[in-house]
Amino acid sequence: YGLLSQYSKEGVYNLTRLPTTNGQWSTGDGVKIAADIGAKLVLMDQVQIHPTGFVDPKDPKNPTKFLAPEALRASGGILINHHGLRFVDELSLRNSATAAIFKNGFRIDDDDENPISAFMLLNQEAMDIFDVAALKFYMNKGFIITYSSAQEFAEKYNIPPENLKQTFTKYNAAKNGEA
């Protein structure tokens, strides 16, 4: 997309293949025009990556994602890998959360064309804190799926239930100041 192919550095995530929450129309034309008329561009290799975006289960390869706002994590959403283990402080800086997802995430269906992903889990308490209208919107789009239990979720994604239990136990202890 846009300027990323011109300004991404070696050794940095392959920014040209990362999904975006911008549309295809967002190509950096304003920056290109400014450069063409003599504006000095600085720090163009410093791209901030938002760590969470919704993967549309009907179209996981689509490079355009809906932003999964930080408010979901701030409300109590936790990020887990495909083993059911929490791997990051969800309220850490974006670059730290993004790096953790790249390190611990997985590709849906083990397909290299799919984005690196992680699960974001919200219990009822977190859902009650977050904006109800926004949750309904995300649910209607199929971005948020409800399960009757952690066991049902674990079975759906072939996650060891004991790992989820361990994750929830540790998270709740930390949340309650016991860890």
Short mmCIF file of all heavy atoms in Angstrom, two decimals, residues 55-57 59-61 82 106-115 117 119 156-157:
data_model
loop_
_atom_site.label_atom_id
_atom_site.label_comp_id
_atom_site.label_asym_id
_atom_site.label_seq_id
_atom_site.Cartn_x
_atom_site.Cartn_y
_atom_site.Cartn_z
N VAL A 55 -10.18 -9.65 11.69
CA VAL A 55 -10.06 -10.47 10.48
C VAL A 55 -11.46 -10.96 10.16
O VAL A 55 -12.11 -11.62 10.98
CB VAL A 55 -9.10 -11.66 10.70
CG1 VAL A 55 -9.07 -12.56 9.47
CG2 VAL A 55 -7.69 -11.15 11.03
N ASP A 56 -11.93 -10.64 8.97
CA ASP A 56 -13.26 -11.08 8.55
C ASP A 56 -13.20 -12.58 8.29
O ASP A 56 -12.49 -13.02 7.40
CB ASP A 56 -13.68 -10.33 7.29
CG ASP A 56 -15.11 -10.63 6.87
OD1 ASP A 56 -15.70 -11.63 7.33
OD2 ASP A 56 -15.64 -9.84 6.05
N PRO A 57 -13.93 -13.39 9.07
CA PRO A 57 -13.86 -14.84 8.87
C PRO A 57 -14.33 -15.27 7.48
O PRO A 57 -13.92 -16.32 6.99
CB PRO A 57 -14.75 -15.41 9.97
CG PRO A 57 -15.53 -14.28 10.52
CD PRO A 57 -14.84 -13.00 10.14
N ASP A 59 -13.58 -13.53 4.77
CA ASP A 59 -12.59 -13.06 3.81
C ASP A 59 -11.26 -12.73 4.51
O ASP A 59 -10.80 -11.59 4.51
CB ASP A 59 -13.14 -11.81 3.09
CG ASP A 59 -12.32 -11.39 1.89
OD1 ASP A 59 -11.43 -12.16 1.46
OD2 ASP A 59 -12.56 -10.28 1.38
N PRO A 60 -10.62 -13.76 5.11
CA PRO A 60 -9.43 -13.48 5.92
C PRO A 60 -8.25 -12.93 5.13
O PRO A 60 -7.39 -12.26 5.70
CB PRO A 60 -9.08 -14.85 6.53
CG PRO A 60 -9.75 -15.85 5.68
CD PRO A 60 -10.96 -15.17 5.09
N LYS A 61 -8.19 -13.14 3.83
CA LYS A 61 -7.06 -12.67 3.02
C LYS A 61 -7.23 -11.22 2.56
O LYS A 61 -6.29 -10.63 2.02
CB LYS A 61 -6.87 -13.56 1.81
CG LYS A 61 -6.36 -14.93 2.19
CD LYS A 61 -6.11 -15.79 0.96
CE LYS A 61 -5.44 -17.06 1.39
NZ LYS A 61 -6.15 -18.24 1.10
N HIS A 82 -2.56 -19.48 19.58
CA HIS A 82 -3.34 -20.66 19.21
C HIS A 82 -3.17 -21.82 20.19
O HIS A 82 -3.79 -22.87 20.02
CB HIS A 82 -3.03 -21.08 17.78
CG HIS A 82 -1.60 -21.49 17.55
ND1 HIS A 82 -0.55 -20.62 17.72
CD2 HIS A 82 -1.07 -22.66 17.19
CE1 HIS A 82 0.58 -21.24 17.47
NE2 HIS A 82 0.29 -22.48 17.14
N PHE A 106 -0.17 -16.51 14.99
CA PHE A 106 -0.27 -17.66 14.07
C PHE A 106 -0.97 -17.19 12.80
O PHE A 106 -1.58 -16.13 12.77
CB PHE A 106 -1.07 -18.79 14.73
CG PHE A 106 -2.45 -18.38 15.14
CD1 PHE A 106 -3.53 -18.58 14.30
CD2 PHE A 106 -2.67 -17.74 16.36
CE1 PHE A 106 -4.81 -18.17 14.67
CE2 PHE A 106 -3.94 -17.33 16.75
CZ PHE A 106 -5.01 -17.54 15.90
N ARG A 107 -0.86 -17.97 11.78
CA ARG A 107 -1.58 -17.68 10.54
C ARG A 107 -2.83 -18.56 10.49
O ARG A 107 -2.75 -19.77 10.71
CB ARG A 107 -0.69 -17.91 9.32
CG ARG A 107 0.45 -16.91 9.28
CD ARG A 107 1.09 -16.89 7.90
NE ARG A 107 2.28 -16.05 7.90
CZ ARG A 107 2.28 -14.75 7.67
NH1 ARG A 107 1.15 -14.13 7.44
NH2 ARG A 107 3.40 -14.07 7.68
N ILE A 108 -3.94 -17.96 10.20
CA ILE A 108 -5.20 -18.69 10.12
C ILE A 108 -5.05 -19.80 9.09
O ILE A 108 -4.55 -19.58 7.98
CB ILE A 108 -6.35 -17.73 9.74
CG1 ILE A 108 -6.51 -16.68 10.83
CG2 ILE A 108 -7.65 -18.50 9.51
CD1 ILE A 108 -7.42 -15.53 10.44
N ASP A 109 -5.46 -20.99 9.45
CA ASP A 109 -5.37 -22.18 8.60
C ASP A 109 -3.94 -22.47 8.16
O ASP A 109 -3.73 -23.12 7.14
CB ASP A 109 -6.28 -22.05 7.38
CG ASP A 109 -7.75 -21.92 7.75
OD1 ASP A 109 -8.15 -22.52 8.77
OD2 ASP A 109 -8.48 -21.22 7.04
N ASP A 110 -2.94 -21.98 8.89
CA ASP A 110 -1.52 -22.17 8.53
C ASP A 110 -1.22 -21.76 7.10
O ASP A 110 -0.35 -22.31 6.45
CB ASP A 110 -1.09 -23.62 8.75
CG ASP A 110 -1.02 -23.99 10.22
OD1 ASP A 110 -0.60 -23.12 11.01
OD2 ASP A 110 -1.37 -25.13 10.57
N ASP A 111 -1.96 -20.77 6.62
CA ASP A 111 -1.81 -20.30 5.24
C ASP A 111 -0.96 -19.02 5.25
O ASP A 111 -1.34 -18.02 5.86
CB ASP A 111 -3.20 -20.01 4.66
CG ASP A 111 -3.20 -19.57 3.22
OD1 ASP A 111 -2.16 -19.08 2.72
OD2 ASP A 111 -4.26 -19.69 2.58
N ASP A 112 0.19 -19.06 4.58
CA ASP A 112 1.11 -17.91 4.56
C ASP A 112 0.50 -16.66 3.95
O ASP A 112 1.03 -15.57 4.11
CB ASP A 112 2.40 -18.26 3.81
CG ASP A 112 3.32 -19.14 4.65
OD1 ASP A 112 3.12 -19.20 5.88
OD2 ASP A 112 4.22 -19.76 4.07
N GLU A 113 -0.59 -16.79 3.22
CA GLU A 113 -1.25 -15.63 2.64
C GLU A 113 -2.17 -14.94 3.65
O GLU A 113 -2.59 -13.82 3.43
CB GLU A 113 -2.05 -16.03 1.39
CG GLU A 113 -1.18 -16.52 0.25
CD GLU A 113 -0.21 -15.44 -0.23
OE1 GLU A 113 -0.62 -14.30 -0.44
OE2 GLU A 113 0.99 -15.76 -0.39
N ASN A 114 -2.49 -15.61 4.73
CA ASN A 114 -3.33 -15.02 5.77
C ASN A 114 -2.47 -14.20 6.71
O ASN A 114 -1.29 -14.48 6.90
CB ASN A 114 -4.08 -16.11 6.56
CG ASN A 114 -5.27 -16.64 5.80
OD1 ASN A 114 -5.91 -15.91 5.05
ND2 ASN A 114 -5.57 -17.91 5.98
N PRO A 115 -3.06 -13.17 7.33
CA PRO A 115 -2.28 -12.32 8.25
C PRO A 115 -1.91 -13.07 9.53
O PRO A 115 -2.57 -14.03 9.91
CB PRO A 115 -3.25 -11.17 8.54
CG PRO A 115 -4.60 -11.75 8.34
CD PRO A 115 -4.45 -12.75 7.22
N SER A 117 -2.10 -13.61 13.23
CA SER A 117 -3.27 -13.36 14.05
C SER A 117 -3.08 -13.81 15.48
O SER A 117 -2.16 -14.57 15.79
CB SER A 117 -4.48 -14.10 13.46
OG SER A 117 -4.75 -13.65 12.16
N PHE A 119 -5.99 -14.43 19.02
CA PHE A 119 -7.37 -14.32 19.49
C PHE A 119 -7.46 -13.22 20.53
O PHE A 119 -6.57 -13.09 21.38
CB PHE A 119 -7.85 -15.63 20.13
CG PHE A 119 -7.94 -16.79 19.19
CD1 PHE A 119 -7.02 -17.83 19.26
CD2 PHE A 119 -8.93 -16.85 18.23
CE1 PHE A 119 -7.10 -18.92 18.42
CE2 PHE A 119 -9.02 -17.93 17.36
CZ PHE A 119 -8.10 -18.97 17.46
N LYS A 156 -13.69 -25.44 19.49
CA LYS A 156 -13.81 -24.86 18.14
C LYS A 156 -12.44 -24.65 17.49
O LYS A 156 -12.26 -24.89 16.30
CB LYS A 156 -14.60 -23.55 18.23
CG LYS A 156 -14.54 -22.67 17.00
CD LYS A 156 -15.47 -23.12 15.91
CE LYS A 156 -15.43 -22.10 14.79
NZ LYS A 156 -16.00 -22.59 13.58
N TYR A 157 -11.47 -24.19 18.28
CA TYR A 157 -10.15 -23.84 17.73
C TYR A 157 -9.05 -24.81 18.14
O TYR A 157 -7.87 -24.51 17.97
CB TYR A 157 -9.80 -22.40 18.11
CG TYR A 157 -10.75 -21.43 17.46
CD1 TYR A 157 -11.79 -20.85 18.18
CD2 TYR A 157 -10.64 -21.13 16.10
CE1 TYR A 157 -12.68 -19.99 17.58
CE2 TYR A 157 -11.54 -20.27 15.49
CZ TYR A 157 -12.56 -19.70 16.24
OH TYR A 157 -13.46 -18.85 15.64
#
